[in-house]
Amino acid sequence: MHVWHHRIPSEVSIVQNHERISPTDARLLLALIDRPRATTIALAEHAGLSRNTVQTRLARLEQDRGLASFDRRIDPKALGYPLTAYVTTQVTQHRLDKVAAALAAIPEVLQVQGVSGPIDLLVHVVAADADDLYRIAGQILAIPGVERTNTSLVMRELVGYRITPLLARITEPE
């Protein structure tokens, strides 16, 4: 007897393989990191490119998701959320898309990553205080399809989010 297994289409991607950016794009992004408020003309001068080239490359990077959204630069502490935690989450696999949608509806959830290993999701959250974190963790656990959670409070950030070293490596001659 042959059993057919049907894979449920998922909107949640496991791995995406994007083409690597060029050294020219990396130089442009480094210039943008150095001067986030710079005009297109200033970026062009700094990167040694024409204004039209800079506009075209930035538009392509935005379209291809090479440029993340601006909200990554805003510190949640400035918004009244000084606590950061990671909630490891085990889910019923066929409910993964619905769980992800429910997590996206919680404002304190900053990011959700599907991971391999004994847990399924790594949920990055912020909270106003310990009681607020307790509420958020309970909200996550109450989502249909969430089987188990474990919350770890971030005590101190040792290395913040950074991309400059990778960009610098791309611009180095081989």
Side-chain angles (χ1 to χ4, degrees), residues 49-101:
L49 302 168
S50 74
R51 180 183 56 83
N52 288 340
T53 299
V54 168
Q55 285 177 324
T56 301
R57 285 178 178 266
L58 286 176
R60 186 177 36 78
L61 286 167
E62 286 175 353
Q63 179 182 347
D64 296 344
R65 297 186 179 258
L67 284 175
S69 62
F70 181 78
D71 61 351
R72 193 179 266 286
R73 294 187 45 162
I74 300 169
D75 188 347
K77 292 175 191 156
L79 305 176
Y81 296 93
L83 294 182
T84 299
Y86 288 91
V87 181
T88 58
T89 308
Q90 289 177 313
V91 300
T92 305
Q93 290 301 304
H94 71 276
R95 302 209 62 171
L96 185 59
D97 288 341
K98 290 181 181 179
V99 170

Side-chain angles (χ1 to χ4, degrees), residues 25-167:
D25 286 341
R27 280 195 320 276
L28 177 58
L29 292 173
L30 285 169
L32 194 57
I33 289 169
D34 286 343
R35 297 178 179 96
R37 293 181 172 185
T39 65
T40 304
I41 293 171
L43 290 172
E45 288 174 4
H46 185 73
L49 302 168
S50 74
R51 180 183 56 83
N52 288 340
T53 299
V54 168
Q55 285 177 324
T56 301
R57 285 178 178 266
L58 286 176
R60 186 177 36 78
L61 286 167
E62 286 175 353
Q63 179 182 347
D64 296 344
R65 297 186 179 258
L67 284 175
S69 62
F70 181 78
D71 61 351
R72 193 179 266 286
R73 294 187 45 162
I74 300 169
D75 188 347
K77 292 175 191 156
L79 305 176
Y81 296 93
L83 294 182
T84 299
Y86 288 91
V87 181
T88 58
T89 308
Q90 289 177 313
V91 300
T92 305
Q93 290 301 304
H94 71 276
R95 302 209 62 171
L96 185 59
D97 288 341
K98 290 181 181 179
V99 170
L103 288 168
I106 300 171
E108 296 87 357
V109 171
L110 300 185
Q111 187 175 28
V112 179
Q113 296 177 323
V115 296
S116 64
I119 62 166
D120 299 305
L121 303 175
L122 183 62
V123 183
H124 181 189
V125 302
V126 293
D129 54 34
D131 287 335
D132 194 34
L133 180 58
Y134 184 80
R135 175 190 62 80
I136 296 161
Q139 208 174 349
I140 293 169
L141 189 54
I143 295 171
V146 171
E147 297 173 352
R148 175 174 292 167
T149 64
N150 187 5
T151 302
S152 297
L153 182 65
V154 172
M155 302 301 288
R156 179 172 54 162
E157 183 175 71
L158 300 174
V159 177
Y161 180 85
R162 62 196 186 127
I163 200 77
T164 305
L166 294 175
L167 288 169

